[in-house]
């Protein structure tokens, strides 16, 4: 599956945004405006000005909608969620070449809020996945105590864990130890 550079960046951003949501043992990764600034800076989100509590609340709403896309049972449901999100952001596609990147498309309107920026660009990246017939690549980690979102870009769609070095390795080691214990009797 060939994914353009800007789409890949947007997919990484949406995954990281969804994974900031508080889970049973994890605090909210976007608990305050300072954390939102850090997220925006860490993901090189362009065209973002002053941020405040209203922006934080709006980004939390976008994050919730993106999580619903990852939980969608099929491509039709995912498409409906993405369409609502992107339409609400007031998309205005524009070709741009900035920060050393070749031509790519920004979908957010000039002067858009950070929430609309994320909803438009990341929503269109998710739309790219659905249009390609690859909605099943939007997954949650299968480790029992994890559930983090990820996009499975493996050739054969076989990725099961958010990070094979942590979740995957931990489960494989536990299964190995269980087999050894059973064999030892």
């Amino acid at each position: 599956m060939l994914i353009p550079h800007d789409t890949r960046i947007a997919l990484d951003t949406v995954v990281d945004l969804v994974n900031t949501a508080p889970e049973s043992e994890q605090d909210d990764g976007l608990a305050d405006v300072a954390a939102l600034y850090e997220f925006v800076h860490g993901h090189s989100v362009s065209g973002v000005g002053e941020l405040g509590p209203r922006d934080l609340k709006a980004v939390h709403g976008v994050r919730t909608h993106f999580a619903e896309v990852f939980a969608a049972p099929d491509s039709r449901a995912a498409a409906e969620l993405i369409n609502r999100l992107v339409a609400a952001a007031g998309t205005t596609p524009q070709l741009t070449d900035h920060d050393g990147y070749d031509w790519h498309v920004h979908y957010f309107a000039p002067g858009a809020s950070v929430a609309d920026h994320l909803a438009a660009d990341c929503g269109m990246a998710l739309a790219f996945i659905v249009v390609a017939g690859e909605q099943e690549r939007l997954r949650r980690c299968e480790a029992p105590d994890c559930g983090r979102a990820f996009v499975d870009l493996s050739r054969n769609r076989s990725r099961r864990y958010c990070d094979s070095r942590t979740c995957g390795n931990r489960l494989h080691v536990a299964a190995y130890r269980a087999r050894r214990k059973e064999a030892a009797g």
Side-chain angles (χ1 to χ4, degrees):
M1 175 173 196
L2 181 63
I3 298 176
H5 173 75
D6 56 320
T7 302
R8 178 59 194 257
I9 289 173
L11 288 171
D12 290 344
T13 301
V14 74
V15 163
D16 289 347
L17 179 61
V18 169
N19 288 334
T20 65
E23 299 291 332
S24 58
E25 295 180 19
Q26 171 192 332
D27 293 333
D28 190 335
L30 290 178
D32 54 31
V33 174
L36 180 57
Y37 270 114
E38 188 176 321
F39 181 87
V40 165
H41 178 72
H43 289 85
S44 301
V45 178
S46 60
V48 175
E50 190 80 19
L51 297 174
R54 178 179 276 165
D55 295 299
L56 181 64
K57 183 176 180 178
V59 169
H60 283 168
V62 169
R63 176 180 69 185
T64 299
H65 292 301
F66 283 144
E68 291 170 353
V69 173
F70 276 81
D74 56 38
S75 59
R76 181 161 307 282
E80 289 173 8
L81 292 163
I82 293 166
N83 283 341
R84 275 198 306 264
L85 190 60
V86 170
T91 58
T92 307
Q94 305 172 64
L95 284 169
T96 184
D97 66 339
H98 62 87
D99 298 332
Y101 295 112
D102 204 0
W103 290 107
H104 59 282
V105 180
H106 281 185
Y107 295 96
F108 58 93
S113 69
V114 67
D116 285 346
H117 179 135
L118 291 169
D121 271 5
C122 295
M124 291 306 297
L126 291 172
F128 176 84
I129 296 294
V130 172
V131 166
E134 304 285 351
Q135 187 255 338
E136 71 274 1
R137 291 182 183 271
L138 304 177
R139 298 196 175 159
R140 292 290 189 156
C141 184
E142 291 183 18
D145 58 344
C146 185
R148 292 175 56 85
F150 67 94
V151 179
D152 179 5
L153 295 177
S154 66
R155 195 177 290 193
N156 62 357
R157 297 179 194 98
S158 62
R159 190 170 158 198
R160 297 174 47 208
Y161 307 109
C162 63
D163 185 348
S164 61
R165 288 174 292 190
T166 53
C167 290
N169 191 44
R170 190 170 25 113
L171 289 175
H172 288 113
V173 168
Y176 170 77
R177 288 182 178 156
R179 285 191 307 272
R180 288 200 49 177
K181 183 176 180 181
E182 187 178 307

